[in-house]
Amino acid sequence: MKMLFILGYRRSATTALQQQVQAHPSVQYFDGGLLPGGRARNECHLFDLIDRAPAEYEALFRHHCGGPPSGDSTVDAEAIFARCTRPVGLVKSTRLLMSARAWQRFKAWAAATAHEVWLLGIARFPLDTLSSDNKNFAALALPDDRVLRLETAQEVWSETYQRLLDDAAFATAAKWLRVEDVIDRPHEQIQDVADWLGIAPYTRFIPWQPVNRGRWRTDPAFAGFTPRPASREIARRLGYEL
């Protein structure tokens, strides 16, 4: 069975991509269950929550399996993903790429599982990503407080995509998209994902909203901001110029 993981930095259209990919009848989506307050979580942060938020981890596991978790992320992931009844199981978790500890746990599971592990990353122009995250989400809890400051948030952004570019050899297959390309050529880009996965062409397309390109130029937080060489290099490898 193929387990497909949608990955990326926050505010990089991971949710839009997840909604489109799960619109295929061959794809079964594993959501994130409910937060303690009862609000739905659309990200299955299985490999991140296990030691950072044990109560949320247990709620996530019970949501999918009905009983308590073992406390071993590899064993628990196998129990959850064993419930997949379609050719492709789909998981979205930005923290897999954004958290070094979650990434290592994920790789440990990938080395032990009999499932095929497929990685689908998505990137957005980095300064637009950082601007949107800083404005909307940076104050929310994340295991890396560097995202609270633009100067160091770019380090997290660079590390995130470097994992996808340079540390994905353990996966059966890995692919990445750019938000701008999907918005400009949605059917072509999404059908390419179907071809890559080896499933029938999509017959249903979820509309993608245009992103605010260049929004960082009017963001006061970027006054005096200078991208670091590492950020420029990762951006270049993703097809962006900073």
Side-chain angles (χ1 to χ4, degrees):
M1 183 181 299
K2 293 175 182 174
M3 289 301 305
L4 174 64
F5 294 82
I6 289 179
L7 312 171
Y9 197 93
R10 299 186 305 184
R11 306 300 292 168
S12 295
T14 54
T15 297
L17 182 59
Q18 162 238 308
Q19 291 172 343
Q20 176 60 71
V21 173
Q22 78 177 77
H24 197 288
S26 293
V27 175
Q28 179 176 336
Y29 174 54
F30 287 84
D31 65 20
L34 299 176
L35 290 163
R39 184 167 57 89
R41 182 204 294 277
N42 73 347
E43 300 205 37
C44 189
H45 294 311
L46 177 65
F47 298 97
D48 167 68
L49 293 174
I50 186 167
D51 62 354
R52 193 176 62 81
E56 288 189 46
Y57 180 82
E58 179 171 351
L60 172 62
F61 187 86
R62 286 182 179 276
H63 170 70
H64 287 290
C65 296
S70 72
D72 180 318
S73 60
T74 295
V75 172
D76 292 342
E78 286 294 277
I80 290 176
F81 301 149
R83 303 176 75 83
C84 188
T85 59
R86 301 185 191 180
V88 179
L90 175 64
V91 173
K92 180 175 87 81
S93 177
T94 52
R95 292 182 192 165
L96 279 181
L97 279 184
M98 294 181 68
S99 166
R101 294 180 69 179
W103 187 248
Q104 291 306 314
R105 291 193 192 98
F106 176 54
K107 289 176 65 177
W109 166 76
T113 189
H115 297 304
E116 294 183 15
V117 179
W118 291 57
L119 309 181
L120 180 59
I122 187 161
R124 177 184 177 189
F125 184 73
L127 301 188
D128 285 333
T129 302
L130 294 175
S131 174
S132 183
D133 190 50
N134 180 65
K135 180 178 180 181
N136 297 291
F137 288 93
L140 300 178
L142 193 79
D144 193 335
D145 66 4
R146 290 179 297 168
V147 300
L148 299 176
R149 302 176 301 280
L150 279 178
E151 183 59 28
T152 49
Q154 66 174 311
E155 296 177 356
V156 183
W157 182 90
S158 298
E159 292 166 7
T160 291
Y161 287 104
Q162 186 166 20
R163 291 186 183 102
L164 182 63
L165 293 169
D166 296 333
D167 194 20
F170 65 90
T172 303
K175 178 182 179 65
W176 55 268
L177 307 172
R178 301 192 318 170
V179 173
E180 296 83 1
D181 296 333
V182 180
I183 289 174
D184 291 343
R185 305 187 304 280
H187 289 199
E188 172 192 323
Q189 294 283 303
I190 296 304
Q191 293 295 17
D192 186 55
V193 170
D195 292 343
W196 173 68
L197 283 170
I199 57 179
Y202 275 84
T203 58
R204 179 185 174 207
F205 289 88
I206 307 301
W208 282 55
Q209 299 300 317
V211 295
N212 190 336
R213 305 186 193 193
R215 66 175 298 157
W216 64 275
R217 298 180 188 278
T218 58
D219 186 340
F222 278 80
F225 176 80
T226 302
R228 295 181 178 177
S231 302
R232 293 182 185 275
E233 175 59 17
I234 296 297
R236 183 194 64 78
R237 293 175 64 187
L238 292 170
Y240 299 111
E241 292 294 332
L242 296 185

